């Protein structure tokens, strides 16, 4: 009996291996997913120091600094400079203040000829540009006019940059 069971099993296995399989039918289904994002306009701004050095009343002192801007590609922006922290300052006549409280007048310009003041009124005296997506550097041209008679001291001012986009 044992032999029959083994033979029967062996025969059945051989029959299963020898029987060709029926081909499987392939089927497909179609669907989709939605993909999207929202790219925001984003900007960062920073400014350098404008170090005028030593001033004497006989001659004007010219120096330059830089404003660096990086924004999302294609973003339109305006760079404005306020009057600074000196008492009575305007964007036409900014005032550095000495440690003793005295002031020294100076101006900031958008062009190297120092004929176009840099202020804070969009469309009037700010710098307008469009972002490239890379760092953009804008030069700030400063001038302390000759003919002032300040007391010997260390003078400084802080001008706030406003980036509107």
């Amino acid at each position: 009996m044992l032999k029959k069971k083994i033979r029967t099993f062996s025969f059945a296995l051989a029959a299963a291996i020898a029987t060709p399989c029926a081909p499987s039918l392939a089927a497909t289904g179609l669907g989709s997913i939605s993909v999207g994002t929202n790219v925001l306009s984003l900007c960062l701004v920073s400014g350098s120091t404008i170090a005028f050095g030593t001033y004497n009343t006989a001659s004007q002192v010219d120096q330059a600094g830089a404003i660096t801007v990086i924004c999302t590609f294609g973003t339109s922006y305006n760079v404005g400079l306020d009057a600074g922290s000196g008492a009575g300052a305007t964007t036409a006549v900014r005032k550095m203040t000495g440690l003793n409280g005295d002031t020294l007048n100076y101006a900031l310009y958008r062009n190297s000829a120092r004929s176009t003041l840099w202020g804070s009124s969009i469309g009037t005296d700010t710098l307008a540009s469009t972002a490239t997506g890379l760092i953009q550097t804008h030069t700030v041209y400063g001038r302390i006019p000759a003919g002032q008679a300040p007391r010997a001291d260390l003078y400084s001012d802080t001008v706030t940059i406003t980036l509107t986009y």
Side-chain angles (χ1 to χ4, degrees), residues 4 9 27 41 46 60 68 94 97-98 128 137-138 150-152 155 160:
K4 277 189 175 182
F9 177 74
S41 289
S46 67
Q60 70 188 20
T68 353
R94 290 177 166 91
T97 305
T137 301
H138 305 289
R151 195 176 345 182
Y155 292 82
T160 300

Side-chain angles (χ1 to χ4, degrees), residues 10 14 50 70-71 75 98 129 141 160:
S10 297
I50 299 175
I70 185 166
C71 293
T75 302
S129 191
Y141 301 94
T160 300

Side-chain angles (χ1 to χ4, degrees), residues 28-93:
T28 59
L30 299 175
S32 63
I33 59 171
S34 294
V35 178
T37 189
N38 184 19
V39 176
L40 301 176
S41 289
L42 178 66
C43 294
L44 301 171
V45 63
S46 67
S48 70
T49 298
I50 299 175
F52 283 107
T54 303
Y55 172 77
N56 67 52
T57 61
S59 60
Q60 70 188 20
V61 178
D62 290 343
Q63 281 298 333
I67 294 173
T68 353
V69 177
I70 185 166
C71 293
T72 307
F73 176 82
T75 302
S76 295
Y77 64 87
N78 271 277
V79 180
L81 301 177
D82 76 357
S85 58
T90 66
T91 55
V93 181

